[in-house]
């Protein structure tokens, strides 16, 4: 598989995440469960032990960034916040995105 194909395949994860958020944003806990399940499947199938740590790191950073944006600086708000001014699924979307970006980075570097 050539580099552009590998990058496109890995980018599909980001597009899936965007579509999931678009279709399920009104059901915060369902969307949270979907992101956790998808991340779990990606981590399990890829068999890269670092991806769980990357997912958790993404959750932490996502929570921090979104909390700063809503509670501290107030530059954003959400229609259905659950905690700290943000929807419960949003940090998990960040974790999912961190995994996807790691894979895209390796696809660009190694393919």
């Amino acid at each position: 598989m050539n580099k552009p194909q590998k990058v496109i395949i890995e980018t599909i994860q980001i597009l899936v995440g965007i579509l999931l958020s678009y279709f399920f944003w009104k059901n915060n806990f369902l969307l949270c469960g979907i992101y956790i399940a998808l991340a779990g499947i990606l981590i399990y199938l890829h068999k890269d032990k670092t991806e769980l740590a990357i997912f958790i790191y993404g959750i932490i950073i996502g929570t921090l960034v979104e909390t700063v944006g809503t509670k501290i600086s107030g530059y954003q708000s959400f229609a259905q916040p659950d905690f700290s001014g943000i929807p419960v699924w949003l940090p998990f979307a960040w974790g999912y995105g961190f995994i996807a970006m790691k894979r895209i980075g390796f696809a660009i570097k190694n393919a």
Side-chain angles (χ1 to χ4, degrees):
M1 179 178 316
N2 64 32
K3 184 185 284 192
Q5 289 173 325
K6 181 72 172 159
V7 171
I8 289 169
I9 287 171
E10 296 299 345
T11 301
I12 289 172
Q13 296 173 60
I14 299 287
L15 301 176
V16 167
I18 292 168
L19 286 173
L20 287 170
S21 296
Y22 176 77
F23 287 114
F24 297 107
W25 70 271
K26 290 183 180 181
N27 191 333
N28 289 348
F29 290 98
L30 173 63
L31 187 54
C32 182
I34 291 170
Y35 274 119
I36 291 170
L38 279 178
I41 290 167
L42 288 175
I43 292 166
Y44 177 77
L45 292 178
H46 201 260
K47 308 239 187 277
D48 182 345
K49 303 282 187 215
T50 64
E51 288 190 347
L52 179 59
I54 291 168
F55 179 64
I56 292 168
Y57 184 73
I59 292 168
I60 293 166
I61 295 300
T63 302
L64 179 66
V65 168
E66 299 297 345
T67 299
V68 167
T70 56
K71 291 289 186 185
I72 297 171
S73 67
Y75 64 79
Q76 65 184 8
S77 63
F78 294 94
Q80 294 181 308
D82 293 309
F83 75 98
S84 204
I86 63 175
V88 69
W89 59 266
L90 195 53
F92 295 95
W94 274 75
Y96 176 82
F98 269 50
I99 293 170
M101 293 309 297
K102 174 243 174 199
R103 290 181 176 194
I104 292 167
F106 277 115
I108 291 169
K109 178 183 175 194
N110 298 327

